[in-house]
Amino acid sequence: MSIAIALDGPAGAGKSTIARRAAKALDFIYVDTGALYRAIGLAASRRGVSPEQTDDVNKMLSEITVDLSFNEKGEQIVLLNGEDVSGLIRTPEASMMASAISAVPEVRAFLLDLQRNMAKTHNVIMDGRDIGTVVLPDAQVKIFLTASPEARAQRRYKELIEKGTDVKYEDVLNDVVTRDYNDSHRATAPLKPAEGCVMVDTTELDFEQSVEKIISVIKENINGTE
Ligand code: DC
């Protein structure tokens, strides 16, 4: 039987970078489910479909395919109608669209089987918002990774400044707080810790310490279920 690790938490907690490293160390596949919502967001932007127009969203869903594959380095590739859109989904516009479209229940239902099938066929660390609560409630290990809004905003602010972007820390913090609110207050599959999850707070941890902590939580809990 394959092993599933559900990793949820708010934006900016470092889930993807930490999970990618932990997956490599444990020889698991890292599945970034946000990329699936981003691909659907991209499809909607291309077609001019608004997330509020349920009929248009449903028609779009009946006409598109979204798939995951992995390259030789084990990196995830997202395919929209067979086209590799892994790079195109990383723009700020795609983030906005993904956030809006991910609140549509039909979109969430559309992606459910794909995510569950990945976990049936591979050992996975699956990163998202509702993996432990909805997608894989029976995952052997469920982790809720978080950090204070200030710590997450500070990390994001540092990244943006290093890239040469002119931003104010207060604006970045405001964005973090707004996104947290939206993610945790939507009607369908809101962000919340799953029952039986292990809470990991990285506010006081650096990247290496966070990776170590996640790996040790996974090892302890997998051993408990074998
Ligand atoms: O993790 P990310 O920022 O790439 O996710 C993009 C958007 O998709 C984000 O607004 C939250 C949403 N999302 C979700 O609703 N459920 C998931 N399992 C993963 C992402």
Side-chain angles (χ1 to χ4, degrees):
M1 200 184 79
S2 52
I3 300 172
I5 316 295
L7 182 68
D8 294 301
K15 289 192 306 288
S16 59
T17 36
I18 294 170
R20 202 171 279 121
R21 270 280 293 279
K24 203 164 220 167
L26 296 163
D27 202 17
F28 278 31
I29 283 186
Y30 164 61
V31 181
D32 164 17
T33 61
L36 301 171
Y37 291 93
R38 288 169 180 267
I40 294 186
L42 177 67
S45 309
R46 283 178 170 175
R47 291 172 175 235
V49 167
S50 154
E52 289 85 46
Q53 303 294 326
T54 314
D55 287 350
D56 293 349
V57 172
N58 284 335
K59 182 167 185 296
M60 174 183 78
L61 294 175
S62 72
E63 292 171 357
I64 62 171
T65 60
V66 175
D67 282 308
L68 286 181
S69 81
F70 295 87
N71 69 14
E72 66 288 348
K73 286 191 207 149
E75 293 160 348
Q76 175 178 296
I77 310 281
V78 192
L79 300 165
L80 173 62
N81 300 323
E83 174 194 352
D84 178 355
V85 295
S86 312
L88 292 174
I89 57 171
R90 295 295 157 195
T91 63
E93 295 73 43
S95 301
M96 292 298 293
M97 200 58 184
S99 172
I101 210 98
S102 69
V104 179
E106 288 83 356
V107 169
R108 307 201 70 84
F110 177 83
L111 293 174
L112 209 48
D113 283 349
L114 169 58
Q115 297 171 87
R116 287 185 176 155
N117 286 337
M118 287 303 303
K120 268 190 206 141
T121 47
H122 303 83
N123 289 338
V124 294
I125 298 187
M126 194 172 285
D127 146 5
R129 306 292 191 285
D130 62 338
I131 309 304
T133 50
V134 176
V135 180
L136 304 174
D138 297 327
Q140 284 87 341
V141 188
K142 297 183 221 175
I143 300 173
F144 196 84
L145 187 75
T146 190
S148 70
E150 291 76 16
R152 288 183 282 127
Q154 189 60 48
R155 291 172 194 165
R156 180 83 187 120
Y157 173 72
K158 194 167 158 256
E159 253 173 46
L160 289 167
I161 292 294
E162 279 168 5
K163 275 193 206 153
T165 318
D166 182 23
V167 284
K168 286 206 198 75
Y169 168 75
E170 286 70 28
D171 293 340
V172 178
L173 178 59
N174 257 330
D175 274 5
V176 165
V177 172
T178 307
R179 258 191 302 165
D180 282 0
Y181 185 87
N182 291 343
D183 279 355
S184 51
H185 285 80
R186 68 177 175 220
T188 310
L191 172 69
K192 61 171 188 219
E195 226 180 282
C197 73
V198 180
M199 299 289 281
V200 176
D201 186 326
T202 66
T203 305
E204 304 290 338
L205 305 181
D206 66 19
F207 177 65
E208 293 301 331
Q209 291 168 326
S210 304
V211 172
E212 254 173 54
K213 175 77 190 165
I214 291 294
I215 291 178
S216 75
V217 167
I218 293 173
K219 283 187 172 162
E220 275 164 31
N221 286 278
I222 288 177
N223 292 338
T225 61
E226 267 174 355

